[in-house]
Amino acid sequence: LEEITPKPVQDAGNVLKQGYLEKRSRDHSFFGSEWQKRWCVLNRRTFYYYANEKSKQPKGNFSIEHYSARMAYHLRKDSRKRCCFELICPGKRTYEFTAPSPAEAKDWVDQIQFLLKDLSSLTIPYDEEDEEELYNDVDSSDSLNTASHNTTLNQEEPSFDMEEDDIYEVLPGKQPKPE
């Protein structure tokens, strides 16, 4: 089975979804078909489409970042109109597909939307780093408190040194005072 999977797909990273879809050609001629069956593969960042599942080179691919996916019943007038979905990005080409069933089309849309949310969350760590810097500022004020605690501990330590023999008696006597 591994030999059947196109090698570029394996090289492309984790495959999240794959299967046959009909892809609407960008410029279909009078003689050419408007909808062409393609083996489609979705990984974490890229949508690939191949002539078939044994093809080694994709017919095309695009980064799905900044795209949105939605059901698109208006793409067809026939009985398969509920199987249609599209990938849209302002200023970029819109990709239109027909899945084998309405449930399969919805699954593609759901997978892509989930992935897009995941991709948009990839920018959050930068924000978190900024927040961490804020926390570091808080930590630095905490470290001042820690320093003052250390000072307090350091002040207590000489009393331990002075009363080395009574060290076990000093601790119980000091604990009730802060409470």
Side-chain angles (χ1 to χ4, degrees):
L1 290 175
E2 288 180 7
E3 291 176 24
I4 295 172
T5 306
K7 288 181 182 174
V9 172
Q10 291 173 342
D11 295 343
N14 296 336
V15 173
L16 300 177
K17 185 153 182 67
Q18 60 186 352
Y20 278 106
L21 297 173
E22 288 182 21
K23 182 183 143 305
R24 189 180 222 168
S25 62
R26 186 173 14 191
D27 33 82
H28 54 279
S29 68
F30 179 74
F31 298 104
S33 172
E34 183 179 7
W35 294 94
Q36 298 164 335
K37 190 175 180 180
R38 295 286 181 244
W39 179 255
C40 297
V41 178
L42 176 67
N43 79 0
R44 288 186 54 77
R45 293 184 171 266
T46 310
F47 192 105
Y48 297 89
Y49 49 96
Y50 298 80
N52 60 54
E53 65 185 298
K54 293 180 182 171
S55 299
K56 296 202 185 297
Q57 291 300 318
K59 286 204 144 293
N61 66 69
F62 59 97
S63 169
I64 64 160
E65 201 167 358
H66 307 299
Y67 270 83
S68 62
R70 66 181 184 197
M71 297 300 291
Y73 302 146
H74 66 278
L75 294 179
R76 294 179 82 134
K77 304 283 184 235
D78 62 11
S79 61
R80 302 196 55 212
K81 66 182 183 180
R82 295 218 171 268
C83 302
C84 298
F85 67 96
E86 59 188 358
L87 297 171
I88 303 162
C89 182
K92 292 187 178 179
R93 175 182 173 189
T94 296
Y95 290 88
E96 301 165 329
F97 298 96
T98 303
S101 69
E104 188 67 15
K106 184 174 180 343
D107 191 48
W108 275 96
V109 168
D110 291 347
Q111 287 287 331
I112 293 166
Q113 286 176 339
F114 177 79
L115 186 58
L116 291 168
K117 283 180 190 168
D118 194 37
L119 278 175
S120 67
S121 74
L122 291 177
T123 58
I124 291 174
Y126 298 113
D127 295 339
E128 285 177 1
E129 284 177 11
D130 292 342
E131 287 175 20
E132 284 176 18
E133 287 176 19
L134 291 176
Y135 291 134
N136 285 344
D137 292 344
V138 172
D139 286 347
S140 65
S141 68
D142 281 351
S143 66
L144 291 176
N145 293 342
T146 307
S148 66
H149 289 303
N150 288 345
T151 307
T152 307
L153 291 174
N154 289 341
Q155 289 170 355
E156 291 172 4
E157 284 174 12
S159 67
F160 293 144
D161 290 342
M162 292 189 309
E163 304 173 29
E164 256 181 66
D165 296 338
D166 299 333
I167 198 165
Y168 294 105
E169 294 174 14
V170 171
L171 283 175
K174 292 244 180 199
Q175 283 180 347
K177 289 180 186 174
E179 291 174 359

